[in-house]
Amino acid sequence: AMLGNEFLSFAVKQSGRAFNMKTIPVRGKHLDDLSPTDVTFITLNKIATIPFLFLFAKFMVYEPNFIWSIEKLSVANLLTPLPAFFFIYDFFYTLLHWGLHVQGIYGYIHKHHHRQKAPTRANVDAVNVHPIEFFLGEYNHLFAAYIYTHLLGFQMHVIAIPIILVLAAILTSLNHTRVDTQVTFFGKMTLYDSKWHDVHHRIPQSNYGQYINFWDLAFGTFRKYDPNDRVNPNNQLDPKTGKSLSYGKKNKAH
């Protein structure tokens, strides 16, 4: 699980260069150096994915609405659950994320993640959160599956879960890169845009959703990305070091 996460993070981070994709200019202050606390949280959270996957698999074994037979694979139990899952997940994640920004709570848990104003490290920046926050966000995936299968009574094929978790990992990682990525519905409606989360890191009282913006639109917390927002040249990244230009100038001064 951890090796797969590392590979996925590397692939997502390199995707912009490989496919010659546009990049999002750095507007917030980049977290150039990871502190010992950062490294500790990142390590603990990566390790925590192992029991999470075990418990998810255990739930799939005991939940009768999970289909294991290849012969029973269908559009209804493989593809239909995908948008429904993210719709359910992001409803609760948006509320959770919003709650973590409440003034009396923010400083104890979520503030750590917002030390990074311009995410670049893909999965590394994504999981650089307080372990309590990681636990709540990660197990929300299991909760969404529980709601869809157990409470709502819909069937889901087990193959849908690795697809969902891989998609979730890719989108979460893209949210924490400078890669400008959109997923649209036949070019008409934007379902996902990595710039939405970039806005959240700079303007925290907005864009609480992880994967979609539906609930932010519903709750009035959505904020569009403005390409005309001020760009500080010193905050841009050195392609060789991955650190801000001001970091290099500061080190040369010393």
Side-chain angles (χ1 to χ4, degrees), residues 10-21 174 177 179 181:
F10 173 79
V12 167
K13 198 173 177 183
Q14 299 302 317
S15 63
R17 194 177 304 162
F19 296 103
N20 198 28
M21 298 170 74
L174 282 168
T177 66
V179 182
T181 312

Side-chain angles (χ1 to χ4, degrees), residues 82-101:
L82 301 186
F85 179 94
F86 288 109
F87 189 75
I88 295 168
Y89 175 93
D90 245 21
F91 172 73
F92 291 100
Y93 182 83
T94 300
L95 294 178
L96 166 67
H97 195 178
W98 199 351
L100 289 174
H101 277 274

Side-chain angles (χ1 to χ4, degrees), residues 231-249:
V231 174
N232 185 340
N234 286 328
N235 283 349
Q236 303 314 297
L237 304 178
D238 184 331
K240 292 181 181 178
T241 65
K243 299 179 188 293
S244 58
L245 295 175
S246 58
Y247 180 90
K249 292 174 183 177

Side-chain angles (χ1 to χ4, degrees), residues 25 30 37 40 48 50 71 83 102 113 120 148 166 213 216 227 229 244:
H30 183 253
T37 302
T40 300
I50 298 170
E71 287 76 18
V102 170
H113 187 61
T120 60
Y148 186 81
V166 168
N213 71 340
D216 278 303
D229 278 350
S244 58

Side-chain angles (χ1 to χ4, degrees), residues 30-36 38 115 121 128 243 247 250-251:
H30 183 253
L31 183 66
D32 290 315
D33 291 321
L34 296 176
S35 70
D38 292 321
R115 291 169 60 249
R121 300 182 181 92
N128 187 11
K243 299 179 188 293
Y247 180 90
K250 185 172 64 178
N251 279 1

Side-chain angles (χ1 to χ4, degrees), residues 38-174:
D38 292 321
V39 174
T40 300
F41 283 180
I42 291 165
T43 303
L44 288 174
N45 292 336
K46 286 182 177 181
I47 293 170
T49 59
I50 298 170
F52 163 73
L53 291 174
F54 170 76
L55 290 171
F56 211 135
K58 188 175 179 180
F59 170 68
M60 289 160 61
V61 168
Y62 289 102
E63 171 52 54
N65 279 322
F66 266 108
I67 308 300
W68 288 80
S69 171
I70 290 295
E71 287 76 18
K72 293 181 179 178
L73 183 66
S74 69
V75 170
N77 61 36
L78 178 66
L79 298 183
T80 304
L82 301 186
F85 179 94
F86 288 109
F87 189 75
I88 295 168
Y89 175 93
D90 245 21
F91 172 73
F92 291 100
Y93 182 83
T94 300
L95 294 178
L96 166 67
H97 195 178
W98 199 351
L100 289 174
H101 277 274
V102 170
Q103 192 171 2
I105 301 171
Y106 179 73
Y108 296 103
I109 299 176
H110 194 52
K111 185 178 180 180
H112 174 84
H113 187 61
H114 275 278
R115 291 169 60 249
Q116 174 63 288
K117 302 284 192 297
T120 60
R121 300 182 181 92
N123 183 254
V124 171
D125 277 346
V127 302
N128 187 11
V129 298
H130 193 288
I132 291 174
E133 180 179 349
F134 183 81
F135 175 89
L136 294 171
E138 197 74 349
Y139 282 84
N140 192 33
H141 295 93
L142 180 52
F143 185 51
Y146 171 80
I147 290 173
Y148 186 81
T149 57
H150 193 82
L151 294 186
L152 298 179
F154 293 115
Q155 292 188 335
M156 185 186 294
H157 202 281
V158 292
I159 294 175
I161 292 303
I163 294 172
I164 285 169
L165 293 181
V166 168
L167 281 174
I170 290 171
L171 296 177
T172 305
S173 293
L174 282 168

